[in-house]
Amino acid sequence: MTRSDYPWLLPSALADPELPAEGDRPRRTLRDWVVDVAAFLIAVVIAVLTLDALTSGSRESSLELAADVAAGGLACCALWIRRRRPVDLAVALVVLSTFAPLASGALLVALFSLAVHRPFKPVAVVGAAAVGSGVVQPWLRPDPSTSWMTSVLFGTVLVLLVIAWGMVVRSRRQIVVVLRERAHRAEAEAELRAEQAQRLAREAIAREMHDVLAHRLTLLSVHAGALEFRPDAPVREVARAAGVIRDSAHEALQDLREIIGVLRTPGEGEENRPQPTLVTLEDLVAESRQAGMKVTLVNRVADPEAVPAATGRTAYRIAQEALTNARKHAPGAEVTVKLGGSPGEGITIAVRNPRPTGDVPKVPGSGQGLIGLTERATLAGGRLDHGASGDGGFRVEAWLPWPA
């Protein structure tokens, strides 16, 4: 639990992550009301103590005391606008406190607010004026029990301490604002990287689908051309060619449905290479073993060749990426690849590795491949789950549809 979960615990300037528009003033939070009431009461207590010190000397007339009480009360009540107009309030109280000692407490609170809400330059100017007021006031309204030099030193120290405290609070708030902006910027960059990884995964899938679709359409065109040039072919050959055309058109239509919505990178050439399927999964495991990995393959699919090409290709890519991640993040660990399924139930693939031994350096860009795998499985109509396993290792589990 953090303070951001409870905005009423923060000042109004920090409770709302969005800065208020120019000319607007954020509404007070519960914390602001508590602080404002406490500041008002502190100013009143200082004014009461000052009044007691003035009356104990018995040198003030009743008219002067009444004027001091009125000035002190006005100064204390004026503190409720300290958030809206801190500079004007501080300047007015500097002038008022020069002649009315009961306004000194309100002046200290106003100086603190000025240091919190305004930059250094106006704070320095008004602070210097407050120090000058502290020099003149003991001369105009001397305290019988305290010397002039003691009053000046005490007042100067109070003014400097209050201003320094306010500047520390302002610095802390600025640090919080900067850290919040950095956090928002980091989140935005992470979202952008995730979107780029999804787009790249979609483009790779679209290119693979394009190759398969082009192969099927070529086959369809060849058989259709044969029928065109051999209209007198035997009935069986015509029926067989028509069946091939029908099956190829059906499979091409399925591939076309899968490719809709997936963008293909323009201007990028594609080499003619066979697309991997479940049949070539054993070759992938053999290559990983030759690279030094310890891989155990458990294949419970009775007939890998019967798996649809798109589903087999997606399962192959998931296993390939999972093995690559295991080699990068858990070098030396034994990886287990389990494959199972049947028509109507779908294909399940699980890749697991235990906790790596020793320190493993962090690889830049980690996590982007898993985002691409999730996108690939979703486009194929399946689902993918990944995360830490109970023994501290890592797991990648996916399910892909296999129509009956």
Side-chain angles (χ1 to χ4, degrees):
M1 181 184 69
T2 60
R3 288 189 177 184
S4 59
D5 298 328
Y6 299 91
W8 50 271
L9 291 176
L10 296 173
S12 57
L14 299 179
D16 189 0
E18 299 294 336
L19 295 178
E22 185 177 359
D24 295 341
R25 183 171 60 91
R27 298 180 59 182
R28 285 188 177 95
T29 61
L30 178 60
R31 180 186 182 278
D32 290 338
W33 282 106
V34 172
V35 172
D36 289 349
V37 172
F40 174 77
L41 293 178
I42 290 174
V44 171
V45 170
I46 295 177
V48 171
L49 294 178
T50 306
L51 178 63
D52 181 67
L54 291 177
T55 55
S56 62
S58 66
R59 297 176 55 183
E60 301 287 341
S61 64
S62 58
L63 183 59
E64 290 177 339
L65 290 176
D68 285 338
V69 171
L74 178 63
C76 293
C77 293
L79 290 178
W80 290 100
I81 65 170
R82 67 188 182 90
R83 296 179 183 273
R84 186 179 304 176
R85 309 185 68 177
V87 177
D88 297 339
L89 176 63
V91 172
L93 292 182
V94 165
V95 177
L96 183 61
S97 63
T98 304
F99 307 96
L102 269 68
S104 300
L107 173 62
L108 295 177
V109 175
L111 290 176
F112 174 78
S113 299
L114 178 64
V116 170
H117 297 98
R118 292 296 181 269
F120 176 75
K121 185 175 180 179
V123 173
V125 174
V126 179
V131 172
S133 173
V135 174
V136 176
Q137 185 198 74
W139 180 71
L140 295 177
R141 307 288 298 276
D143 187 354
S145 60
T146 308
S147 64
W148 177 82
M149 182 59 67
T150 303
S151 298
V152 170
L153 291 178
F154 183 71
T156 302
V157 170
L158 276 181
V159 169
L160 295 179
L161 285 177
V162 167
I163 292 178
W165 184 19
M167 294 178 66
V168 169
V169 173
R170 175 180 174 82
S171 299
R172 292 185 59 185
R173 292 186 179 181
Q174 289 178 336
I175 291 175
V176 172
V177 171
V178 171
L179 293 178
R180 177 181 289 172
E181 291 177 353
R182 289 182 179 178
H184 290 333
R185 187 161 55 249
E187 292 177 358
E189 292 176 354
E191 292 178 357
L192 180 60
R193 286 195 298 269
E195 292 177 358
Q196 291 176 347
Q198 291 178 351
R199 179 176 56 81
L200 293 176
R202 286 175 176 267
E203 291 176 357
I205 297 171
R207 288 192 293 269
E208 293 178 0
M209 290 180 175
H210 175 267
D211 294 339
V212 176
L213 182 61
H215 171 73
R216 299 192 191 284
L217 292 179
T218 302
L219 185 63
L220 189 151
S221 177
V222 169
H223 284 80
L227 288 180
E228 180 182 2
F229 287 100
R230 289 291 306 277
D232 56 344
V235 178
R236 289 185 179 180
E237 293 184 6
V238 172
R240 184 166 56 86
V244 172
I245 293 174
R246 181 196 60 190
D247 294 339
S248 299
H250 177 73
E251 292 174 355
L253 181 60
Q254 295 296 329
D255 293 337
L256 187 60
R257 288 175 180 174
E258 293 178 2
I259 204 174
I260 291 178
V262 181
L263 296 178
R264 184 176 189 278
T265 303
E268 184 174 341
E270 285 293 322
E271 54 185 351
N272 297 324
R273 62 182 185 273
Q275 297 298 323
T277 60
L278 280 187
V279 179
T280 58
L281 183 59
E282 294 183 357
D283 297 337
L284 173 65
V285 173
E287 292 177 0
S288 300
R289 289 170 179 169
Q290 291 177 358
M293 292 186 65
K294 301 176 182 178
V295 184
T296 301
L297 176 61
V298 181
N299 191 349
R300 296 191 177 93
V301 179
D303 188 7
E305 295 183 357
V307 179
T311 302
R313 184 170 58 253
T314 302
Y316 180 93
R317 294 303 186 189
I318 292 175
Q320 184 182 42
E321 182 66 26
L323 289 174
T324 302
N325 290 340
R327 184 167 59 250
K328 291 190 298 184
H329 301 287
E334 184 175 359
V335 185
T336 303
V337 180
K338 293 183 179 181
L339 188 68
S342 60
E345 295 181 359
I347 291 290
T348 59
I349 181 170
V351 182
R352 299 173 182 267
N353 63 268
R355 180 196 301 269
T357 57
D359 296 333
V360 179
K362 186 176 181 181
V363 180
S366 299
Q368 304 303 318
L370 294 175
I371 296 176
L373 287 185
T374 304
E375 185 72 14
R376 183 185 292 271
T378 302
L379 290 175
R383 57 182 179 271
L384 184 139
D385 184 27
H386 58 83
S389 56
D391 58 354
F394 199 81
R395 60 176 179 81
V396 177
E397 300 175 351
W399 176 87
L400 302 172
W402 183 358

